[in-house]
Amino acid sequence: MGEFKVHRVRFFNYVPPGIRCVAYNNQSNRLAVSRTDGTVEIYNLSANYFQEKFFPGHESRSTEALCWAEGQRLFSAGLNGEILEYDLQTLNIKYALDASGGPIWSLAASPSGSQLLVGCEDGSVKLFEVTPDKIQFARNFDRQKSRILSLSWHPAGTHIAAGSIDYISVFDVKSGSTLRKMIVDRQHLGMTKSKCIVWGVAFLSDGTVISVDSVGKVQLWDSATGTLVKSHLIANADVQSIAVADQEDSFVVGTAEGTVFHFQLVSVTSNSSEKQWVRTKPFQHHTHDVRTVAHSPTALISGGTDTHLVIRPLMEKVEVKNYDAALRKITFPHRRLVSCSKRRQLLLFQFAHHLELWRLGSTAATGKNGDTLPLSKNADHLLHLKTKGPENIICSCISPCGSWIAYSTASRFFLYRLKYVRDNISLQRVSKMPAFLRSALHILFSEDSTKLFVASNQGSLHIIQLLEGSFKHLHSFQPQSGTVEAMCLLAVSPDGNWLAASGTSAGVHVYNLNHLKLHCTVPAYSFPVTALAIAPNTNNLVIAHSDQQVFEFSIPDKQYTEWSRTVQKQGFHQLWLQRDTPITHISFHPKRPMHILLHDAYMFCIIDKSLPLPNDKAVLYNPLPPKDESDVFLRRTTHAFKISKIYKPLLFMDLLDERTLVAVERPLDDIIAQLPPPIKKKKFGT
Amino acid sequence: MVEEGSIRVVRCGGSQLNFRRAVFSADSKYIFCVSGDFIKVYSTATEECVHILHGHRNLVSGILLNPNNHLQLYSCSFDGTIKLWDYLDGILIKTFIVGPKLHALFTHSQAEDSVFVTISKEEPDIFQLVSVKLPKSSHQEVEAKELSFVLDYVNHSPKCIAFGNEGEYVAAVRDFYLSVYFFKRKKTANFTLPSTKNKKNAKNTFTCVVCHPKEDCIASGHMDGKIRLWRNFHDDRKYTYTCLHWHHDMVMDLAFSVTGTSLLSGGRECVLVEWRDGTEKNKEFLPRLGSTIEHISVSPAGDLFCTSHSDNKITVIHRNLDASAVIQGLVKDRSISTGLMVDPRTKALVLNGKPGHLQFYSLQSDKQLYNLDIIQQEYINDDGLIQIELTKAAFGCSGNWLATVEQRQENETELELQMKLWTYNKKTQGFVLNTKITMPHDDHITALCFSNVENYGKPTLVTASKDGHFKVWILTDDSDIYKKAVGWTCDFVGSYHKYQATNCCFSEDGSLLAVSFEEIVTIWDSETWELKCTFCQRAGKIRHLCFGRLTCSKYLLGTTENGILCCWNLLSCSLEWSAKLNVSVMEPDPNSENVAAVSQSPVGSDLFVFKPSEPRPLYIQKNLSREEVQWGVFVPRDIPESFTSEALQWLNRSQFYFLTESQCLLTFSTKSPEEKLTPTSKQLLAEESLPTTPFYFILGKHRKQPDEKLNETLEKELVQLPLTENIPAINELLHTPAHVLPSASFLCSMFVNSLLLSKHTNSAEEMPDDIDMDEEKESDDSDEENDFTEKAQETNTTDLGEDIIHQLSKSEERELRRFRKVDYSWIAML
C-alpha cells in the first residue's frame, strides 16, 4: 500500500439540512426526500439506494409536503403557498403555482393519481386536477377553522380525512362537504395541553382513520360513526408522522423523541378472522424528531431533524439475506462537495450558500507510521465566497492550478479568477458568462487549467477556453438525438485529449477533445455511475457503479481492459459488494500505474492490479500492512484490495503528490453538536 | 398412647412455599401451594392453612386444578406419581403411577384425560415434555405408562413452558430459543434471539413464558429485564414481537390476567408491574413487596393475584393492586448465621430470616409468628452492595433478654460491629431495644452466651471475640437519677495469651464459665472472674463447647477441628474420655443429660446421642441426610412422650430439629407414615367445614333435639333392622364426595335394594345390643352443652382398625336410621 503523509482535514464545517418529507414511489422504486432548505433528492432504491438526482434548494421555499402523482410525477408544496412540479429528466422545476390559500401544510395525491389535494393555512382544502402538463384548480372543500396539517385519501377515492388542530374531519369528495368531525383528546398522562395538533392521518380501506397527534397518541377511529376505536399512547412528545403499507397490514409512525414504531395487523387467534393492530417493534435510530416516515413494501424509511435518512428493512419481507437486508443510514450526499487544487494545496468546500477556500497546513517534522505530526503552519481560511440570491449552489470546482473557481446555481453560472500575491489573495469575477451554462450539474477544469468543462442539465456539454481574465466558448456537445437527460459526472484525461461524461442512467460517453466529436460509448450497465476517472498515460477510464462494481475501459482500444475482464469473471469479494455507500471519487498515483485509489464514506481503498484478486474466503479488510516482507503467510494472503478504515465518515480523499494524501472527514458528533438539542429523556441509572 | 415404631427422619414443615406457582381455587377462596412433600391449602381470606394434602413421598413439583372439575386438584411429584385430590375434603382420589421423576405438570381444558409433564431423559439436565394419558379406572392406584413425546430439550422449570389458546399450541423457552409446538399441525416453530455476540444482546436469555388466554400472543421474560410479546408466530417469517421494558434486572415471572387485558410481571425489584393493554406507557406498580418475586399467579375468577417471594412468602393481591394477605413460611433466603434457637417463651424456633430480621417460627403450626427487625435499616436489593448482616443472637434469662450482633465488613480492615440487647416487654408482647453497643470488640464476635442463673440478681452475658478477649456484660442501673432505667455495661475483660477466643459457655448453675482460646479451654469462676484451670488437648482448635446438665453437670464437652470429641471431668480436672468423631453440630438437650452430636463423613451425616457420663452412645442414626447438617437444636415438647424403648427415650422430653446445607428443616418422627396420613385424608370433613356462626349453634341444637327424640323411639322399635355398616352400597354412597357421585337416578335402585330386608339376617340378635350401647353413649354425650365438641370427640373415639374407610361416623348412621325408620312406617301404613 505504501506510506503516505495524510492531511487529516476536519475543518469542513458541513451540516446537512434536516429531512422534512419523504415520498416513496412504488412504480419506479424511488424515494423522494425533501430537506429543510428546499433541496429535493431522488434515491433509487433498486440501485443500492443511490442518490441519483437532486434539485437544489431555495431560501424562500420550504417544502412541507411531497407527493408522487400520475405515475412518476413529483409535486411539492410549501409555506410560500406554491405547488411545484419537478422535471425529473432535466432536473429543474417545471412550474410553480400559487394555491392562493396561504402557506400549504399538506398535499396528497388521489389513489388514481389524477387529483391533488392541498391543505392550507386558512383551513381550506383545495382539489386540483392533474393534467398532462400542468395542474388545474378544481374546487374547494368545506372550509375548516384552522390549518389543515395532514390529508389522506380513502383508497377508493371517495372520502378524505383531514387532520387539523384538535379535530379530524372526514370529507366526501363528490360533494366536498364535511361528513364527520372527530375531536381528539388533549389529555396527556393526566395533563391537559393547550391544543392537540393532528400531525398525520391515514385512511384505510375499511373506513378506519388512523391519526397521530402532538400528545403522543396513535388513535384509530371509525370514520362511519366518528368514534374512537383504539388509542395507543406511545410517546411523551409529539408523534409527527405516519405511513401505511399498500397492503394495509402494517404502518409506521415517527415521534419527536426519535423513535419509530411499527404497528402490524395481526390476527387475534390463528383460527379466527378477527384482526387487531398491535404495536410491535420500536426502532431508535434517530436522536431528534422523526419528521417523516415512509413505508416501502420491504422497508421502513424515516428521516428527521438529525439529517439521517434511515432505511430499516422488514426482515420478514426480505427474500434473500443480502445487502438489502441491512439497516442503512444515509447522512451525506452521494456527490462531491470538496474540490482540490493540487499545485497550491488548496481545498474548496461547497456549502448551500457559500464557498470556502482553505490552504492546507504543513509540517517540517517526520515520524514513524501512525504518528501524528505537529503542524508548523496551520491551515489557512483564505476565502469566504457568498452567493448572490436565494438559490443554493449546485456544484463548484477549483482549477488544479488554483487560479480559477467556478460554481453554478439554478439560474446563473459564476467564474472567478484568483490571484495570489505573496500571502494576499485577490478575487476577480469573470463577467458575462453565457446563460446556457446556468444550472450546471458538474464543472471540471482540465489538468493544465486552460479549459473548463460544464455539464448542463439539458444534456449538453460545454467546453470553454480560459484565457487570462476572460473566456471563449469553444464547443458544445449536444445530447444524443431525442434524449434530454442531464449529464452529471465528468472526467477528463490528464493529457487533455479525452472527456468522459455520464448521465443519470444511460451509459458513459467518451469524447475526443482534439477532434471535438464523440469517440465511443461504454456499453450500458444497469446501475448508475457513481464515479469516473481517466488514468494518466494509459487513458483507461475507470467507472464505479452504485452496485459497487468497478470497470476499467480502455479508451484508445474502445473495449474493457484485460484486468476488468478478469475481475468480472472472478467477481468481487462478497464483503466488497455488501458495502452500502457508493464510491464517490477515483484517482491515480502518478508513479504507480497499477494502482487505483478510490473511496466511499467509510473506507479508502487502493486496488493494486498486479496482485491477485481476493476470493470469498480471503480476509478482505486487512487491518495492518505486512511489516515483515518475508512473512510467507502474509504474502500469501495479500491481495489486490488494500483497505483503510481509519478515516470516517470520509467526504473526500485525494492524492496531493506522490507521498501525500488529503482526507476530509466530517465526524457525526460534530454534526450533532450543531443541531438543536433533542428532547430530553430520562435514562435509567443516570 | 401412640404405638412405638422406628425412628424416621421427616421433613417438618418450613418447606419452600415458593418452589412452584401457587394455584387459586375456582372461587378464589383457597390458594394451593406446594410445600415439600405436601400440598397446603390456605384460605385467601384468613391466611390460615385449611388442609395439608399428604401423600407424596418426595417433593411435590407441580399442582394444577383439574380443568374438567374445578373441585379437584392434580399434583405431580419427584416420586413419579400424579395424584388427584379433592381439596375441599382433603381426600386423595386417585394416584397415577407414571414412573420417572416428574418435574412439572401442565393441563388444559381441551386435553381430555391426559396431562403433560416434564421428565428428564437419561442424561441429566436434558428434559422433555411428554403427555401422559390418564387411564379411566375405578381403582385408587392406576398405572399411567402411556407417554407420548411432545417437545425435547425443554427447561425443567415450569415457568419456561406454557400452553396457549386452549391447548392449541405449547410454547417452551430455553436459553435463547423459543419453540412453539402446534398440536393440530404437529409442527414446531423455532425463534432464536441474537445471543452473546455483543454486549447488548448478552442478556437476551429467556427466563419465563406465558400465553395470552384469548389471543395468539406469547409473552416471554428475559434476563435483561425485557418482556417480549410475540405474535404471528404461526409463520416462521412473519412473526413479530413488541418489547416492554421496565425491569432493570431479570424478569422472574409473568402472568396474564384472566381476560388477557393486562400482563403482570415481577422480578428482583420487588415490584409487581401491571402492564395494561400490553402497552409500555400504561402500567401500574405495586412496590415494596419485600423480596424478589419468584412466581405470579392469577385466580381463575380474576379477582385475586398472588406473588411468591424468595423469602418463602406468598402475598395475595387484589385486582386493584392492594396486598390483602400474606402467607409466610420459614424464611430460608440466605445463609443461617445465627443458628437455630428456641425462644423460651413461645417455644418458637428463632433464626435469621429476612435480611436484617430475626424470625420467630412456630414449628407446631408451620407458620411464622413474627419478624423482629434487628438492623432497622431499609434493605436495598442490589448486587455488589455490602449489607449489614445479623451474625449472632442469643436468648437469656428465660426469654427476658435477647442479644444480637450485627456486622458489616467493607474490606479487611474496616469492620463495623454492633451489639444490641433487647428486653422483653410484657405490655407490647415484644422485644424492645435496651442497649446498643458499637464496637463491643475489635474483631469478629465468635460466640455469645447468657448465664442461665442471674449473678447476684444481675443477668450476665459473655461475648468471645477474635481479638483475643472475652467480655462479660452485666445489667446495671443506668445513670438515671430515678434509677429506673437499666442498661448493659462491660464488667470484665478476660484474655489468655492473646489467643483468639472462639467459644464460650456457662455451666448450668452459672458458677463456671468455659472459654476456649483456639486449642485451649479455660475455666473461669463467674463470681470472681478468676481463671480456675485450663484444659489443653493439642488436638486442633475447639469448635464446640458445652457443659453437661443435670446429673452430668460435672462434665465439660468439647469438639475440635481435628475430629476429636473430648469430655473433661471438672472435679478431677482431667480428661474423662475422648472419641474420634468429626462433629459438625453439638447440641445439649436442655431437659435431660443428653447431648446430640452430628458428625460429618463423605457419605452423609450421622447422629449420635449420648450422655457425657458415659462414652457409649444412647442412639445412633447413620445417614441422617446426604447433605451436611449445619445446625441443630432440641425443642422441648409441650407434653412429654413416654417412649420406653431405649432408642427412643432421648426423644421423650425434647424433639431434635436440624437444618441441612440446602436449608431443609428435618426432625425425627416415630409415627409410621400411614399414621401420619390418617387424620386428614381418611375422614370426611364436610361437617367441620361449616362455619360456626351463631346460626349454626342454634340450628345445630335444633337438629339435635329431634334426633334425641327419635333415638328414644328408636330404642323401642328397633328390632328388625339390619346392620347398616355391612351394606356396601350405602357405604359407598356415603363415603364418596357428592360431586363425584353418579346421578341419583342411577343410585336409587341400588340404594332401595340394599334397604330391603333380606330374610336371612344372621346378625339380627347381636344387633340390638350394639345399638343399645351406641344409644347410651349418645345420650351421655348429649348431656354436654356443646354439640360441636361432641362431634369432634366422636371422630376421635372411633376406635377403628384398618377398615376405617368402611365405617360410618355415628351421626351419619343415625341420620340414615332415622330416614329408614320413617320410610318403613310409611310402608307399614299402606
Side-chain angles (χ1 to χ4, degrees), chain A residues 539-565:
Chain A
N539 279 336
N540 286 340
L541 174 67
V542 178
I543 309 163
H545 289 277
S546 69
D547 61 343
Q548 312 294 352
Q549 296 284 350
V550 178
F551 293 96
E552 193 186 39
F553 183 82
S554 170
I555 294 173
D557 300 344
K558 294 188 183 179
Q559 61 174 358
Y560 287 114
T561 61
E562 200 54 44
W563 180 79
S564 187
R565 284 169 206 276

Side-chain angles (χ1 to χ4, degrees), chain A residues 230 232-236 264 266-271 276 278-281 315-319 684, chain B residues 165 168 184 214-216 231-232 234 237-244 248 277-281:
Chain A
K230 178 121 180 139
H232 293 268
L233 180 67
I234 57 164
N236 293 325
Q264 279 174 287
V266 296
S267 47
V268 171
T269 56
S270 60
N271 38 22
Q276 62 176 356
V278 177
R279 180 181 77 76
T280 55
K281 281 165 232 154
M315 289 307 172
E316 65 268 21
K317 301 277 172 62
V318 176
E319 295 295 329
F684 178 76
Chain B
N165 198 6
E168 265 195 16
K184 271 189 191 154
K214 299 268 160 65
E215 297 167 12
D216 277 2
R231 287 176 208 266
N232 254 359
H234 306 277
R237 285 165 51 77
K238 279 193 181 158
Y239 77 91
T240 174
Y241 61 77
T242 323
C243 262
L244 304 176
H248 79 268
D277 302 325
T279 51
E280 196 152 22
K281 295 275 170 201

Side-chain angles (χ1 to χ4, degrees), chain B residues 185-196:
Chain B
R185 288 193 280 151
K186 297 206 186 320
K187 243 183 81 179
T188 312
N190 287 306
F191 309 99
T192 312
L193 284 181
S195 54
T196 48

Side-chain angles (χ1 to χ4, degrees), chain A residues 16-88:
Chain A
I19 293 173
R20 180 63 193 90
C21 320
V22 295
Y24 173 72
N25 187 322
N26 211 353
Q27 281 182 16
S28 58
N29 199 21
R30 276 173 172 78
L31 185 74
V33 175
S34 81
R35 293 186 180 263
T36 45
D37 66 344
T39 313
V40 174
E41 294 160 353
I42 311 286
Y43 290 85
N44 187 349
L45 302 194
S46 318
N48 206 4
Y49 304 86
F50 179 60
Q51 179 196 322
E52 58 178 12
K53 291 167 192 172
F54 86 101
F55 301 92
H58 193 282
E59 260 180 357
S60 68
R61 279 205 311 261
S62 84
T63 320
E64 279 296 322
L66 198 63
C67 80
W68 297 87
E70 192 111 294
Q72 303 189 24
R73 291 171 68 179
L74 182 65
F75 294 90
S76 83
L79 295 183
N80 59 359
E82 286 179 341
I83 306 169
L84 275 72
E85 185 178 354
Y86 296 89
D87 188 334
L88 296 175

Side-chain angles (χ1 to χ4, degrees), chain B residues 532-573:
Chain B
K532 288 287 181 191
C533 68
T534 58
F535 299 112
C536 180
Q537 222 54 48
R538 293 282 165 215
K541 288 185 183 175
I542 305 287
R543 201 186 265 166
H544 303 101
L545 204 60
C546 79
F547 280 96
R549 283 174 198 272
L550 305 173
T551 59
C552 298
S553 55
K554 61 179 176 180
Y555 298 105
L556 174 68
L557 289 163
T559 67
T560 68
E561 296 202 329
N562 295 6
I564 309 282
L565 174 65
C566 303
C567 178
W568 293 282
N569 190 328
L570 294 168
L571 299 178
S572 63
C573 287

Side-chain angles (χ1 to χ4, degrees), chain B residues 218-497:
Chain B
I218 296 174
S220 64
H222 298 264
M223 209 65 168
D224 55 359
K226 277 185 186 155
I227 298 164
R228 287 189 167 87
L229 294 172
W230 301 76
R231 287 176 208 266
N232 254 359
F233 42 80
H234 306 277
D235 197 318
D236 273 4
R237 285 165 51 77
K238 279 193 181 158
Y239 77 91
T240 174
Y241 61 77
T242 323
C243 262
L244 304 176
H245 200 168
W246 179 84
H247 295 278
H248 79 268
D249 210 328
M250 75 185 267
V251 181
M252 296 291 280
D253 201 12
L254 292 169
F256 272 109
S257 68
V258 175
T259 49
T261 48
S262 64
L263 174 70
L264 299 159
S265 68
R268 292 223 179 97
E269 300 86 358
C270 320
V271 179
L272 182 71
V273 187
E274 184 186 359
W275 306 85
R276 299 204 171 141
D277 302 325
T279 51
E280 196 152 22
K281 295 275 170 201
N282 197 354
K283 51 184 181 283
E284 298 284 323
F285 303 100
L286 176 62
R288 293 182 286 278
L289 283 171
S291 67
T292 304
I293 297 172
E294 300 250 358
H295 302 278
I296 303 170
S297 40
V298 174
S299 75
D303 55 341
L304 293 176
F305 307 135
C306 85
T307 51
S308 310
H309 297 264
S310 60
D311 62 354
N312 213 8
K313 176 175 78 182
I314 294 173
T315 311
V316 180
I317 296 161
H318 262 291
R319 186 71 191 78
N320 55 3
L321 295 185
D322 274 342
S324 70
V326 174
I327 298 161
Q328 175 80 62
L330 182 64
V331 182
K332 296 192 292 191
D333 191 19
R334 309 161 78 243
S335 67
I336 304 297
S337 51
T338 59
L340 301 179
M341 287 168 291
V342 176
D343 176 20
R345 276 178 195 277
T346 55
K347 301 284 181 289
L349 192 69
V350 179
L351 62 160
N352 58 337
K354 291 205 300 189
H357 287 68
L358 208 55
Q359 61 174 331
F360 288 68
Y361 175 78
S362 162
L363 288 162
Q364 280 75 36
S365 55
D366 187 13
K367 196 174 141 187
Q368 198 186 62
L369 296 179
Y370 68 97
N371 262 315
L372 181 62
D373 190 354
I374 300 292
I375 288 172
Q376 299 181 329
Q377 256 185 30
E378 183 68 35
Y379 177 72
I380 298 162
N381 193 344
D382 199 1
D383 271 346
L385 206 65
I386 294 160
Q387 311 277 359
I388 305 176
E389 280 170 68
L390 176 64
T391 52
K392 292 274 181 281
F395 282 99
C397 309
S398 53
N400 278 332
W401 289 98
L402 167 68
T404 57
V405 176
E406 63 211 48
Q407 69 175 43
R408 178 172 181 275
Q409 189 157 29
E410 192 99 28
N411 51 41
E412 279 291 307
T413 52
E414 280 175 56
L415 177 73
E416 293 166 38
L417 211 59
Q418 211 164 52
M419 183 159 80
K420 284 176 181 164
L421 286 133
W422 308 75
T423 178
Y424 187 78
N425 188 326
K426 283 196 180 114
K427 250 187 209 164
T428 56
Q429 294 282 306
F431 284 94
V432 180
L433 183 64
N434 176 266
T435 309
K436 189 156 88 177
I437 302 156
T438 42
M439 292 310 282
H441 282 274
D442 297 335
D443 209 339
H444 296 276
I445 290 182
T446 53
L448 74 165
C449 67
F450 277 97
S451 164
N452 297 338
V453 181
E454 294 193 354
N455 207 357
Y456 298 116
K458 287 175 185 170
T460 312
L461 170 74
V462 173
T463 55
S465 163
K466 276 188 180 169
D467 65 358
H469 298 291
F470 73 88
K471 288 188 181 175
V472 180
W473 309 84
I474 54 163
L475 185 68
T476 52
D477 286 347
D478 226 0
S479 56
D480 190 282
I481 54 159
Y482 304 107
K483 301 277 179 191
K484 270 183 185 168
V486 284
W488 290 78
T489 48
C490 185
D491 188 43
F492 178 73
V493 180
S495 64
Y496 188 80
H497 290 292

Side-chain angles (χ1 to χ4, degrees), chain A residues 559-612:
Chain A
Q559 61 174 358
Y560 287 114
T561 61
E562 200 54 44
W563 180 79
S564 187
R565 284 169 206 276
T566 341
V567 169
Q568 287 309 308
K569 212 178 281 167
Q570 195 185 326
F572 281 92
H573 193 281
Q574 199 60 40
L575 290 175
W576 176 268
L577 296 177
Q578 281 175 10
R579 292 174 311 114
D580 57 1
T581 52
I583 293 163
T584 47
H585 187 65
I586 301 169
S587 58
F588 303 95
H589 197 285
K591 290 287 156 64
R592 295 180 192 153
M594 296 308 278
H595 285 190
I596 304 171
L597 287 73
L598 37 84
H599 80 86
D600 63 23
Y602 296 103
M603 62 108 211
F604 167 66
C605 175
I606 298 175
I607 299 176
D608 189 340
K609 290 190 281 181
S610 60
L611 286 174

